[in-house]
DNA sequence: ATGGTTGCGGTGCAA
């Protein structure tokens, strides 16, 4: 089973790119972020025609997450628990049944950016991370294969940026952000890409501005974190960097992980 | 040199 995540930066504008990538990488489950549309604007039929079931948690204009799955959904839950006042669509959780029995649980997340840090946006990010940690801690008690995949808007370590000094005052790399990310990992989660490779220069995002792509000025902010039961089944992971060079690209590229699970 | 680009929605905001 191959599970992927991709911040597409508008699913409607990126539909052709997304379908081309699905045909190439053939993931079984895909978490999409920044779909930037409401549920009824999501191009559901195009993905169904490509063989995917569709779960959408949209929002007008920005944010919005979705999950595509070749296997049918047993459960779909929209929204991250812990704040009834939070109206931003940044979290979706699904459960799919494995053909041989058992389940896989997948959370698709679009963690708040948090910039500028001297505004209310940064405490919102930290509070969201605290809610995510609490939710994952509860889910880990189920002792299931769990994959929490998405745009974390966190640069975990200096080697996850081409120029870490550019990010020291940025909400993606501030010490409190990195500490909150480590606190989530310390619950017992495995970073799939880092488990598969310790090489430097692995990035998932290149800004549209200032020729960041041409200069390979990238950062690694899209992650798949695995419960112990999922990590035990991990067989590989990768980043589809070449997608950033396609026409009309997203500023993020897909990240995927393979598991020894029949699909 | 304090810039630059993209997307949504309809002009300023978010990233």
């Amino acid at each position: 089973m191959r599970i992927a995540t991709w911040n597409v930066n508008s699913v409607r504008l990126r539909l052709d790119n997304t379908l081309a990538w699905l045909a190439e990488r053939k993931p079984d489950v895909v978490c999409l972020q920044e779909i930037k549309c409401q549920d009824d604007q999501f191009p559901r039929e195009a993905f169904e025609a490509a063989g995917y079931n569709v779960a959408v948690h949209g929002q007008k204009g920005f944010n919005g997450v979705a999950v595509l799955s070749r296997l049918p959904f047993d459960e779909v839950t929209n929204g991250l628990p812990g704040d009834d006042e939070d109206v931003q669509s940044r979290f979706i959780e699904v459960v799919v049944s494995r053909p041989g029995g058992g389940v896989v649980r997948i959370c698709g997340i679009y963690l708040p950016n948090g910039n500028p840090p001297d505004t209310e946006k940064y405490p919102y990010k930290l509070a969201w991370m605290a809610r995510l940690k609490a939710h994952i801690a509860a889910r880990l008690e189920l002792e299931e294969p769990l994959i929490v995949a998405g745009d974390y808007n966190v640069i975990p370590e200096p080697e996850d940026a081409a120029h870490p000094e550019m990010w020291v005052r940025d909400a993606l790399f501030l010490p409190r952000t990195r500490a909150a990310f480590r606190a989530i990992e310390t619950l017992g989660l495995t970073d799939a890409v880092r488990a598969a490779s310790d090489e430097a220069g692995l990035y998932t995002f290149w800004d549209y501005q200032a020729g960041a792509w041409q200069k390979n000025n990238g950062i690694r902010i899209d992650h798949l974190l695995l419960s112990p039961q999922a990590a035990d089944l991990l067989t590989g992971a990768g980043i589809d960097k070449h997608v950033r060079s396609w026409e009309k690209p997203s500023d993020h590229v897909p990240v995927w992980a393979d598991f020894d699970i029949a699909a």
Side-chain angles (χ1 to χ4, degrees):
Chain A
M1 181 178 288
R2 174 168 291 158
I3 299 178
T5 178
W6 191 8
N7 180 326
V8 291
N9 187 17
S10 171
V11 70
R12 290 176 291 177
L13 204 67
R14 221 68 65 199
L15 181 59
D16 289 348
N17 274 10
T18 307
L19 292 170
W21 173 76
L22 290 173
E24 175 184 290
R25 183 54 68 192
K26 302 186 182 345
D28 296 294
V29 181
V30 185
C31 300
L32 300 176
Q33 302 87 40
E34 282 205 87
I35 61 172
K36 290 188 170 177
C37 67
Q38 302 176 90
D39 292 7
D40 61 0
Q41 299 173 309
F42 191 90
R44 170 182 294 271
E45 293 77 10
F47 292 116
E48 289 175 344
Y52 289 91
N53 298 285
V54 176
V56 183
H57 181 34
Q59 181 176 342
K60 183 175 181 172
F62 51 105
N63 299 328
V65 290
V67 181
L68 313 176
S69 174
R70 292 201 172 276
L71 295 169
F73 298 117
D74 291 344
E75 299 175 21
V76 176
T77 309
N78 290 343
L80 179 63
D83 182 359
D84 295 338
E85 309 294 304
D86 186 359
V87 296
Q88 299 192 31
S89 297
R90 297 178 173 275
F91 182 94
I92 186 168
E93 178 172 332
V94 305
V95 177
V96 299
S97 288
R98 298 154 65 175
V103 301
V104 179
R105 185 178 296 270
I106 298 140
C107 298
I109 73 162
Y110 177 43
L111 205 148
N113 178 295
N115 281 306
D118 60 349
T119 68
E120 73 291 342
K121 291 173 182 299
Y122 193 54
Y124 173 68
K125 176 178 194 159
L126 294 176
W128 205 96
M129 294 182 83
R131 288 163 57 199
L132 180 65
K133 181 189 174 191
H135 182 67
I136 292 173
R139 286 296 185 239
L140 286 173
E141 294 183 8
L142 300 173
E143 300 188 357
E144 295 168 341
L146 167 71
I147 296 99
V148 184
D151 177 358
Y152 280 72
N153 270 313
V154 175
I155 304 167
E157 300 292 338
E159 56 263 37
D160 296 312
H163 298 287
E165 71 280 2
M166 292 177 57
W167 300 92
V168 292
R169 289 174 185 81
D170 193 285
L172 279 60
F173 194 56
L174 284 172
R176 292 171 74 191
T177 304
R178 295 175 59 203
F181 182 80
R182 282 197 302 276
I184 292 170
E185 283 188 308
T186 304
L187 293 171
L189 301 179
T190 297
D191 179 337
V193 166
R194 274 292 169 242
S197 170
D198 60 0
E199 64 183 289
L202 297 178
Y203 311 129
T204 65
F205 169 92
W206 295 260
D207 201 294
Y208 288 124
Q209 302 184 67
W213 168 245
Q214 289 75 13
K215 294 187 277 194
N216 195 28
N217 180 11
I219 52 177
R220 191 174 73 96
I221 56 174
D222 300 271
H223 311 294
L224 295 97
L225 297 188
L226 315 179
S227 73
Q229 293 77 14
D232 285 346
L233 301 171
L234 181 70
T235 59
I239 299 170
D240 284 331
K241 180 176 181 176
H242 65 286
V243 173
R244 187 62 175 77
S245 69
W246 289 359
E247 290 295 313
K248 295 290 290 179
S250 171
D251 40 6
H252 298 249
V253 296
V255 186
W256 50 269
D258 285 343
F259 300 89
D260 185 17
I261 299 173

